Amino acid sequence: MPIALEDIQKDFENNPFLSHIGFQIIYFEEGDVKVKLTIEEYLLNTNGTVHGGVYATMLDFILGMVLRSVTKTRCVTTNLTIHYLASMSEGELYAEAKVLQQGYKLAFAEGEIKDMQGNVITKGIGTFKLIRKE
């Protein structure tokens, strides 16, 4: 049974881990999801820049969200490839993604994280297993 779009958004908004990090959903429609993260000191690594794990989490989050908005079913990440292109230490990050290909059990999505000026900071592609009730 498909999951309603509103319930998918609520699942993400009510996730304690994601809200602890500080992700904010700024737009949520089928196939079009945008997320914002304000950089805080606790997100920085020992170099004083955003930790790579934060970027990875943000990409995993946006990829899963956009995929669930399209498939209306739960999914789990089976592979995530990330390209770190630049670093940041202050400001805001914005993420968006799109579904590249979708089958019955597997789907592929790609996403980007950009700074406030629209410069690409990180890119990623993910493979997801769709959890279908049979």
Side-chain angles (χ1 to χ4, degrees):
M1 178 174 206
I3 303 169
L5 195 61
E6 300 80 30
D7 292 333
I8 294 168
Q9 183 175 352
K10 285 179 191 172
D11 278 351
F12 286 105
E13 289 175 339
N14 295 329
N15 183 297
F17 173 67
L18 301 173
S19 62
H20 172 73
I21 292 175
F23 294 138
Q24 297 174 321
I25 299 170
I26 56 176
Y27 191 79
F28 195 95
E29 293 293 329
E30 183 176 321
D32 190 7
V33 180
K34 293 179 181 50
V35 173
K36 174 179 137 180
L37 177 65
T38 301
I39 298 172
E40 302 289 347
E41 187 175 348
Y42 68 89
L43 300 173
L44 305 180
N45 60 24
T46 56
N47 296 325
T49 59
V50 175
H51 191 283
V54 174
Y55 294 119
T57 300
M58 192 171 193
L59 279 170
D60 190 40
F61 179 54
I62 194 71
L63 293 173
M65 282 179 55
V66 77
L67 186 58
R68 286 185 64 189
S69 78
V70 170
T71 64
K72 309 295 189 293
T73 189
R74 296 189 181 279
C75 61
V76 293
T77 309
T78 61
N79 187 49
L80 183 62
T81 302
I82 302 166
H83 299 279
Y84 300 98
L85 306 174
S87 61
M88 287 186 61
S89 57
E90 59 184 19
E92 296 172 339
L93 298 170
Y94 296 89
E96 55 187 300
K98 65 180 178 182
V99 177
L100 295 176
Q101 187 176 35
Q102 171 194 336
Y104 185 74
K105 290 280 188 178
L106 287 178
F108 304 88
E110 71 176 354
E112 294 182 335
I113 299 173
K114 298 179 180 180
D115 65 13
M116 297 172 295
Q117 289 76 38
N119 300 308
V120 178
I121 304 299
T122 308
K123 288 183 71 87
I125 187 167
T127 306
F128 295 81
K129 178 181 178 184
L130 302 176
I131 302 172
R132 306 265 189 195
K133 304 277 184 184
E134 307 225 7

